Amino acid sequence: MKVIDLGRALEDSMQVFPGDDAPVVERLDSCGCRSKKLTLSTHTGTHMDAPAHMLCSGATLDALAPESFFGFGFIVDVSGCAGREIEPADLGLSAAELSAADFLLLRTGFDAKFGTEAYFKNFPVLSARAASFLAEQELKGVGVDAISVDYVESADSPVHQILLGAGLVIIENLTGLDRLPYKEPFCLTALPMSIKEADGAPARVMAVLEN
């Protein structure tokens, strides 16, 4: 069995979505004990969006069943779509093939740009047609190795609206998706921090391979 960490460690002043406050991580060592104080947004680092993030009547993460955070993952490589929208044909997956997946992870390759201004620009996002296609499948969530599933400058966040509106969760700021096989199922755990009435939360995301 091989376990691959697909998330980023939380750290002081790490890059966040424009307009969000950067996290603050302070050491509070005393009496021979080590401790840290964290001040951060629920959408810091590798994190999960709940339907409540965008929808007034959407479910919060703590209202979702534990089964919502486990399942089989699929990865598709959409790195060739940089600078444009991802259409259904770019996914290269039929509804029958997607029926074996609980989570679809989109590899844009933009995780390599994390920490630079280029991370915010020209990453591919799903078109409304592609997002609607995924929303119609029996998926639990969609993840991406980019800052967002919508363009940074988007005013109405259509991809969030479509996916969250269908009851899916969204995982953003993943990394290392190139270490996993494409279009082959693997076990995935995506565990958000347990926060009461959470619209989102930092998440620990792991892929488990047989060998």
Side-chain angles (χ1 to χ4, degrees):
M1 181 178 70
K2 184 177 182 180
V3 180
I4 300 176
D5 192 341
L6 302 179
R8 297 187 179 278
L10 292 171
E11 59 180 312
D12 188 66
S13 301
M14 74 187 300
Q15 191 174 40
V16 294
F17 193 86
D20 285 358
D21 291 334
V24 178
V25 181
E26 302 174 82
R27 290 186 62 166
L28 300 176
D29 300 0
S30 64
C31 302
C33 297
R34 297 182 64 178
S35 180
K36 284 185 170 64
K37 177 183 177 181
L38 307 179
T39 306
L40 49 86
S41 159
T42 49
H43 301 272
T44 299
T46 304
H47 67 274
M48 181 179 291
D49 293 348
H53 179 45
M54 293 279 178
L55 308 172
C56 292
S57 59
T60 54
L61 290 177
D62 57 321
L64 299 178
E67 293 80 10
S68 303
F69 312 122
F70 294 88
F72 288 103
F74 260 42
I75 288 182
V76 293
D77 187 352
V78 293
S79 58
C81 301
R84 68 173 178 85
E85 293 185 334
I86 304 162
E87 297 295 344
D90 296 314
L91 300 175
L93 290 169
S94 66
E97 289 173 308
L98 272 173
S99 66
D102 296 297
F103 296 90
L104 182 67
L105 308 185
L106 306 173
R107 179 184 178 263
T108 70
F110 268 67
D111 58 330
K113 302 177 187 292
F114 185 81
T116 72
E117 284 301 310
Y119 191 56
F120 298 135
K121 303 172 183 177
N122 297 320
F123 55 89
V125 302
L126 294 165
S127 68
R129 284 180 56 204
S132 296
F133 168 69
L134 295 180
E136 293 167 358
Q137 312 310 311
E138 295 185 5
L139 291 170
K140 297 178 180 180
V142 171
V144 65
D145 59 351
I147 188 68
S148 175
V149 294
D150 279 295
Y151 292 125
V152 168
E153 63 273 16
S154 175
D156 51 2
S157 301
V159 179
H160 278 86
Q161 295 286 347
I162 292 170
L163 296 179
L164 298 177
L168 278 68
V169 297
I170 296 171
I171 310 168
E172 296 168 327
N173 287 320
L174 291 165
T175 188
L177 299 185
D178 57 326
R179 294 176 290 171
L180 297 172
Y182 296 137
K183 297 175 64 174
E184 294 181 18
F186 54 86
C187 292
L188 186 79
T189 64
L191 299 176
M193 187 183 296
S194 183
I195 303 172
K196 188 174 179 61
E197 298 181 349
D199 56 273
R204 197 71 190 269
V205 184
M206 301 278 192
V208 183
L209 307 179
E210 290 186 0
N211 50 49

